[in-house]
Amino acid sequence: MKLGQAIKISFKNITMNKLRAILTMLGIIIGVAAVIALTSLGMGASQSVSDEVSSLGSTTVSISLSGNSSDEEVVTYDELMSFEDLSEVEAVSPTVTTSSTLKNGTTSSEGVTVAGVNTSYENVNDITVRTGRNIMDIDLDNRNKVVVLGSNVATELFGFSNAVDQSIKIDGTTFKVIGVLEEQGEELSGSVDDQVLIPFTTAQRFIGQTYVTSATVKMSSEDAVEIGMAKMEQDLYNQFGGDETSYSVRNQSSVSDALDSVSNTMTLLLAGIASISLIVGGIGIMNIMLVSVTERTREIGIRKAIGAKKKDIMLQFLIEAVVLSAFGGILGALIGLGSAEVLSSMLDMTMQITWWIVGGSVSFSILIGIIFGIFPANKASNLSPLEALRYQ
């Protein structure tokens, strides 16, 4: 039997039982759709995280000093700022933070992040003052009670009126507003729009934390990052007496790699779980093909009696199984792409379609059809012509 003729007969047999064919393909459809939808959303989320981390700057390095405490401050503020003397470093911005309640008259805002920063914060974090001014050295030297408001905080406390030169209370302490920041938008590390900035020295006394636990360093160039990190790590290693658990120096690219790894692992896990539906769909195809063999036993006997070979019978049933799985895979791919588009709009998530995954899912569904179609096809081809003709 020619391949074209076998395919034609397969289509005819499938279309004679449309409902049964659709129900048989359902497992394959659901499996392929789930794999494509989940991987598209998962990879889109991974790409969003990568873009977010990249926007923080590839020349930005984070320093964490877990070994510093109120009992023992191993690395002081001045020692940390001495990193600016390195040729590879452009600016160093230590920070201390707390959560406070802000009030302007009867208007209040709770749970606002108050960050104590120095004059390098603007350069390191690439922020811009919309009105007023930023924190200056004189504010740090005199521990001035001044504050720069994030755009959202300014709107919440003052509406659309000018906040500069007004006074607000932070946990009951009066601060003078000297500036309002430009709107920055959402960022991976948290939006500065929902924060307020006060001088670092003022924050140390206000929060009651004189020691430094974190800082952000801006390197002079991408080429200088690795060398600069090595020099800072060596200096911290010496100051902490070789205790590498007391500090960490991380580049944003390492953070991005770690987040990508977690995101990709989760995507693969979800895709693996969804792939179980394909196995279930394959079992469904095998089950319905066995039923088809039983129903068409006399047909098989007649075909063998008039000269059909074992391979012709086997090919016939195998093609039917493959056609069912292929159609299921194609329908599942279309539904999966549509579902990913709808979910990305509803959940406000980024979707990233990877066509090799689409093609791979459809190809895998066809492979499932071949694997689970072999047994029924083999059973049909091994039927005795005499016994098949006697079958009622």
Side-chain angles (χ1 to χ4, degrees):
M1 181 187 294
K2 294 181 179 180
L3 181 61
Q5 186 180 2
I7 294 174
K8 186 177 180 180
I9 295 173
S10 298
F11 272 104
K12 182 180 178 181
N13 289 326
I14 290 171
T15 53
M16 285 175 64
N17 298 281
K18 296 184 181 67
L19 181 59
R20 187 170 73 178
I22 292 172
L23 293 175
T24 303
M25 292 187 294
L26 200 56
I28 297 291
I29 292 171
I30 293 172
V32 172
V35 168
I36 291 174
L38 290 174
T39 53
S40 296
L41 292 174
M43 295 182 73
S46 178
Q47 186 61 47
S48 295
V49 170
S50 297
D51 293 342
E52 195 71 45
V53 173
S54 297
S55 69
L56 298 177
S58 57
T59 59
T60 305
V61 174
S62 299
I63 296 178
S64 175
L65 304 175
S66 56
N68 270 1
S69 66
S70 56
D71 296 328
E72 183 181 13
E73 185 183 14
V74 180
V75 180
T76 65
Y77 174 86
D78 290 334
E79 288 171 333
L80 202 58
M81 293 303 297
S82 68
F83 286 151
E84 287 188 339
D85 296 334
L86 297 174
S87 59
E88 294 82 9
V89 174
E90 182 177 325
V92 178
S93 175
T95 56
V96 289
T97 60
T98 188
S99 181
S100 302
T101 298
L102 277 62
K103 286 188 177 181
N104 172 34
T106 58
T107 304
S108 65
S109 181
E110 298 181 354
V112 178
T113 299
V114 178
V117 302
N118 64 3
T119 54
S120 297
Y121 185 86
E122 181 179 12
N123 180 20
V124 171
N125 293 276
D126 194 25
I127 62 170
T128 305
V129 176
R130 184 175 67 203
T131 56
R133 65 173 178 86
N134 213 325
I135 291 168
M136 301 171 64
D137 286 328
I138 192 172
D139 298 316
L140 294 166
D141 294 339
N142 297 329
R143 294 188 172 88
N144 291 337
K145 293 179 181 178
V146 294
V147 60
V148 178
L149 306 179
S151 61
N152 290 344
V153 178
T155 302
E156 189 171 349
L157 293 178
F158 293 93
F160 295 100
S161 61
N162 184 21
V164 178
D165 292 331
Q166 303 295 319
S167 294
I168 64 169
K169 289 185 180 293
I170 303 178
D171 288 343
T173 302
T174 301
F175 281 75
K176 180 183 178 182
V177 179
I178 59 172
V180 176
L181 299 176
E182 284 281 6
E183 184 176 353
Q184 298 290 111
E186 292 295 329
E187 295 180 354
L188 188 66
S189 57
S191 176
V192 74
D193 300 338
D194 300 315
Q195 300 179 12
V196 299
L197 311 178
I198 63 177
F200 185 87
T201 51
T202 305
Q204 286 181 306
R205 179 176 292 180
F206 179 73
I207 297 171
Q209 177 181 316
T210 57
Y211 57 95
V212 185
T213 57
S214 64
T216 305
V217 180
K218 185 175 183 180
M219 312 304 287
S220 57
S221 67
E222 290 187 19
D223 296 334
V225 171
E226 293 298 328
I227 299 174
M229 286 178 63
K231 289 182 178 180
M232 290 187 290
E233 286 177 332
Q234 183 61 52
D235 186 79
L236 293 173
Y237 179 86
N238 294 334
Q239 293 194 62
F240 281 104
D243 184 5
E244 295 182 358
T245 62
S246 296
Y247 66 92
S248 67
V249 181
R250 295 181 179 275
N251 179 236
Q252 298 299 350
S253 61
S254 63
V255 176
S256 178
D257 292 341
L259 291 172
D260 280 346
S261 177
V262 172
S263 182
N264 290 336
T265 300
M266 290 302 297
T267 300
L268 289 174
L269 178 62
L270 291 172
I273 294 172
S275 297
I276 295 174
S277 297
L278 288 172
I279 307 298
V280 174
I283 295 172
I285 288 176
M286 182 172 68
N287 182 54
I288 207 66
M289 292 307 298
L290 287 171
V291 173
S292 181
V293 169
T294 303
E295 290 178 346
R296 295 159 61 187
T297 300
R298 284 183 60 81
E299 175 194 329
I300 295 168
I302 293 170
R303 291 180 61 187
K304 281 197 168 187
I306 61 176
K309 297 178 181 179
K310 180 179 177 179
K311 67 176 184 180
D312 294 328
I313 303 297
M314 186 170 186
L315 180 64
Q316 180 64 58
F317 282 88
L318 191 58
I319 287 175
E320 288 186 25
V322 170
V323 168
L324 282 171
S325 61
F327 263 103
I330 293 169
L331 287 173
L334 295 174
I335 292 171
L337 293 172
S339 299
E341 186 70 41
V342 171
L343 288 172
S344 67
S345 299
M346 291 176 59
L347 303 176
D348 194 24
M349 294 176 63
T350 303
M351 178 186 72
Q352 183 177 347
I353 299 173
T354 306
W355 292 108
W356 69 265
I357 290 181
V358 176
S361 299
V362 175
S363 299
F364 186 65
S365 70
I366 295 172
L367 180 63
I368 288 290
I370 294 172
I371 293 172
F372 286 92
I374 287 175
F375 179 72
N378 188 59
K379 181 179 179 180
S381 66
N382 286 328
L383 285 176
S384 168
L386 191 60
E387 291 181 3
L389 287 170
R390 288 176 178 174
Y391 184 81
Q392 297 295 329

